[in-house]
Amino acid sequence: MPVTVSPHPSDCELRVTARPIVNTPVIDGANMRFTSTQIGLSGFATLLGSPGDSAMGFNVGFIQAQYVETNWCSYRAAASADGSILVQRGRAPARSQRACRDCVDGTSVTSIFYNTNVAFGEIAPGNRGQPFPQVLRVRHFDQPAETCPLRLRNTLTGQMNLLHEAQLEFLFCALLSVKDPFARFRHLMGVYWNTRWQYTFQQPGFRPIINPAGTGSTVGTPFRGDPSDLRFASVLTSPAETKSCNDIFRAAAGAFNPGSPNRHESRVWTDFSVTVP
Amino acid sequence: MDRLQRYRSLTIACTLLAIIAVFSASCSKLSSQAAKREDPNETILLRNLDTPGAFELENRGPAIALYSEVVVQRLENGIWQDEVANVTLTDFCVWDPKPGCQTFEHSAKFRPVPWTGLVCGGQCGMTCRANAYLGPGQCRFVVTTCDRKRRFYGPTFTLPDYEHSVLNKKR
């Protein structure tokens, strides 16, 4: 079946409608919770075709990759003799060092698109019987977040160690893409964005002290065309990806378990190197 | 001619049967949803609180074991759809929550941590890279017995758009 319908390479738009603002971490039950406000994007793509062509099977939507994750938490007891702990959730073996494809819970990572539930407006199907050009509008929402336990028991000293410092960085690229009926993708536009937190916590009460250099958010200028960024190009549409970023980083919580190679304990207060796994 | 009349009769009969089938299916779906919402003798009563997403559970019957995962439904084109929302019957956020069952004694009242409308970490903090917000829309909570055989439906509440939600307030 010849397909003459195709996306217009330049008659498209990607607009930033909301920039994330990083919140101060808050205590949430037994955890410290790191959140931000939303990133919002809106966009459209234009499908070209001839009279009699059908746009059925085409979809416009967002694809998102996360290409950098920094994720460590350090813990200290009240006295040096009660020990300290570093937990590295962002490095192997807790997680692989490569990028991942980001899909919401409820959307399979094999669907490629970020969110295939049409009720959210993240995906727009081409219409059969509608004249060309067809303008398909979509929007994108994300609000990444993370938690760290407030307390861990140091297995060397037997004492409870309290959350002392955390650094979290999530770097993403979101793409406005068109999928044709043969499951081929064309990336029309994209934007880089990130959220970052670096805080120390003072006792009593885990009072958060910001490190301004490590805290904030950035949204880049939308760009046109296929991204050539080798840090994540291979995961954008690969059918080999079986786990979403949510799946991968939830599994990385195993780094907190005693005996994990990503958990480093000391009998005294230690300034751990955060470059270790 | 006789053949044509028989063909027409058959077509009309099939159309009527199809209409009756669709009509009765819609009616039974609607009536069962209405019955579930309006049963005054329901053992478990779900009551919405002032903030959208906050609710209270009351057991008006004998002690009952409920499954910890709460279903969030959203009204889409007149049909209640189950959504992924990661809401549980918890009043304290723990580090490593495990799904299970919880027994509520007769007349017990319980207020879970309110839900903000986020699909991921909307109640207790979670590891979320991708996320979605379910508003604006009409939603309701549904709790189930431990064996998942009975469902108790809460009243409808309006989840506002993101700009008017608790999430949009700078902390």
Side-chain angles (χ1 to χ4, degrees), chain A residues 114-188:
Chain A
Y114 176 83
N115 187 345
T116 55
N117 184 341
V118 288
F120 288 93
E122 294 254 0
I123 190 166
N127 297 300
R128 180 186 206 160
Q130 197 172 304
F132 292 95
Q134 287 187 19
V135 177
L136 302 177
R137 296 182 185 280
V138 284
R139 60 176 185 263
H140 181 56
F141 172 100
D142 196 6
Q143 191 164 322
E146 188 56 283
T147 58
C148 301
L150 293 174
R151 297 172 179 84
L152 292 180
R153 188 170 298 281
N154 188 313
T155 62
L156 302 177
T157 64
Q159 296 300 310
M160 202 59 89
N161 290 187
L162 308 180
L163 180 63
H164 174 67
E165 187 173 5
Q167 186 179 22
L168 306 164
E169 297 176 319
F170 313 140
L171 278 62
F172 302 94
C173 184
L175 300 170
L176 176 71
S177 305
V178 178
K179 179 186 176 188
D180 73 14
F182 302 104
R184 294 175 303 205
F185 286 84
R186 178 104 166 253
H187 309 304
L188 300 175

Side-chain angles (χ1 to χ4, degrees), chain A residues 212-269:
Chain A
T215 303
S217 61
T218 309
V219 182
T221 304
F223 62 86
R224 288 185 181 272
D226 218 339
S228 54
D229 197 324
L230 295 177
R231 289 175 296 181
F232 58 81
S234 65
V235 303
L236 286 173
T237 59
S238 164
E241 296 297 310
T242 57
K243 289 182 176 172
S244 69
C245 299
N246 280 359
D247 297 332
I248 289 168
F249 293 114
R250 278 178 201 151
F256 283 97
N257 296 336
S260 161
N262 294 90
R263 174 170 161 152
H264 308 274
E265 298 197 359
S266 167
R267 291 182 180 279
V268 293
W269 286 358

Side-chain angles (χ1 to χ4, degrees), chain A residues 53-71:
Chain A
D53 284 344
S54 170
M56 230 172 105
F58 279 84
N59 280 285
V60 174
F62 281 94
I63 298 172
Q64 185 164 284
Q66 185 186 348
Y67 61 95
V68 169
E69 167 99 0
T70 304
N71 196 325

Side-chain angles (χ1 to χ4, degrees), chain B residues 2 20 66 70 89:
Chain B
D2 191 35
I20 290 165
L66 299 175
V70 179
L89 288 176

